[in-house]
Amino acid sequence: MWPYPRILAHRGGGTLAPENTLAGFRAGLQHGYRAVEFDVMLTRDEVPILMHDPQRGRTLPGSGRIAETDWAELRELEAGAWRDPAFAGERICTLEQCLDFCLQQGIWMNVEIKPAAPEHARRTAELTAQAVARRFAGVTGAALPVLSSFSFEALLAAQETAPQLPRGFLVDVIPQDWQQCLAQLQAVALHTNHKHLTPALAASVKDAGVGLFCYTVNDTARAAEIRAWGVDAFCTDRIDLIAADAWAA
């Protein structure tokens, strides 16, 4: 039900490096992580980039919406010093650059499609799925990245654009109609917030024969608890605390 890695570095390098940057992926590698989760968003000129927030201000200086700014401007911005002076000069990267790096380093990917606005969901999904599908042409099975999203419409678009890529439906609280949603998306997994998960909910997902993935688990005791409930995998910010192979079979 979950043939993929069991513990993923959240946004590349967890809390140890600037999120959604190649520096983050390098930090993950230094801690033994060859599986990552990251976010993809579109710029105004429709370049898929690694970015979580729809607005500048937290990980990028200045103000303004990502969806209203061209890549030529964003790529010049400082993306590392906010985390630590040691990362000064780090820049954000495109999805294409990220895919190349991960393929070169043998890093498995969970690609979260993050539309900057609901009206961008379909286009973000289409361009993200196309880029991933090009890089993984001819690849099958567990080597394929999983595309995930909180946007049902984005996953439908990804399904139409690149049906060969596996999909995971992201929810904060598991809704009553989760089985119908997964069936319509032909999703391989349900991704959910571990804080709202219960043993009964976990059992119902596993009984349905799909993978169960949790975000974002930063405590070893909690990781052990949800594993006992049948959770297949999770992402973490604490790549310095939780070993990448802690859930090795």
Side-chain angles (χ1 to χ4, degrees):
M1 285 183 270
W2 183 267
Y4 314 108
R6 291 181 173 270
I7 307 179
L8 282 59
H10 186 224
R11 301 182 193 169
T15 56
L16 299 189
E19 65 184 53
N20 286 319
T21 66
L22 295 185
F25 297 136
R26 295 188 185 99
L29 286 172
Q30 290 172 358
H31 285 78
Y33 275 78
R34 291 189 179 275
V36 298
E37 180 271 355
F38 58 81
D39 308 287
V40 177
M41 192 174 292
L42 291 187
T43 64
R44 179 167 57 187
D45 49 343
E46 295 197 334
V47 177
I49 64 169
L50 271 59
M51 181 60 54
H52 178 272
D53 296 5
Q55 299 271 358
R56 288 160 59 179
R58 185 175 67 89
T59 64
L60 289 177
S63 61
R65 293 179 57 80
I66 300 301
E68 296 172 358
T69 312
D70 289 340
W71 166 240
E73 179 179 348
L74 293 170
R75 68 183 178 188
E76 300 300 324
L77 299 177
E78 169 65 54
W82 67 271
R83 178 63 188 82
D84 191 287
F87 294 109
E90 187 69 22
R91 298 292 187 260
I92 59 175
C93 65
T94 65
L95 173 60
E96 299 277 2
Q97 291 168 333
C98 169
L99 292 173
D100 287 343
F101 180 86
C102 289
L103 283 168
Q104 290 167 4
Q105 299 296 330
I107 298 173
W108 183 83
M109 293 166 274
N110 182 114
V111 183
E112 182 179 341
I113 302 168
K114 203 87 173 176
E119 61 268 25
H120 300 148
R122 175 161 292 275
R123 189 60 175 160
T124 304
E126 289 171 348
L127 292 179
T128 300
Q130 288 168 7
V132 175
R134 281 196 302 271
R135 289 298 194 280
F136 286 85
V139 177
T140 60
L144 286 171
V146 168
L147 303 181
S148 65
S149 186
F150 285 99
S151 169
F152 187 81
E153 182 182 358
L155 287 179
L156 279 178
Q159 179 185 17
E160 295 169 5
T161 301
Q164 73 276 23
L165 297 177
R167 292 164 297 284
F169 185 38
L170 258 168
V171 296
D172 181 25
V173 178
I174 298 177
Q176 290 187 342
D177 64 346
W178 66 268
Q179 285 183 283
Q180 296 95 310
C181 291
L182 263 65
Q184 189 172 349
L185 295 169
Q186 297 181 329
V188 300
L190 183 68
H191 296 205
T192 191
N193 190 337
H194 76 95
K195 295 178 182 178
H196 306 307
L197 190 65
T198 65
L201 283 171
S204 66
V205 175
K206 296 312 301 173
D207 288 345
V210 294
L212 178 57
F213 179 92
C214 283
Y215 70 89
T216 302
V217 182
N218 295 326
D219 180 80
T220 55
R222 180 58 171 171
E225 182 177 36
I226 63 173
R227 185 181 192 185
W229 295 354
V231 170
D232 294 295
F234 66 91
C235 64
T236 182
D237 286 319
R238 294 302 308 273
I239 64 174
D240 56 330
L241 178 66
I242 299 175
D245 59 355
W247 277 19

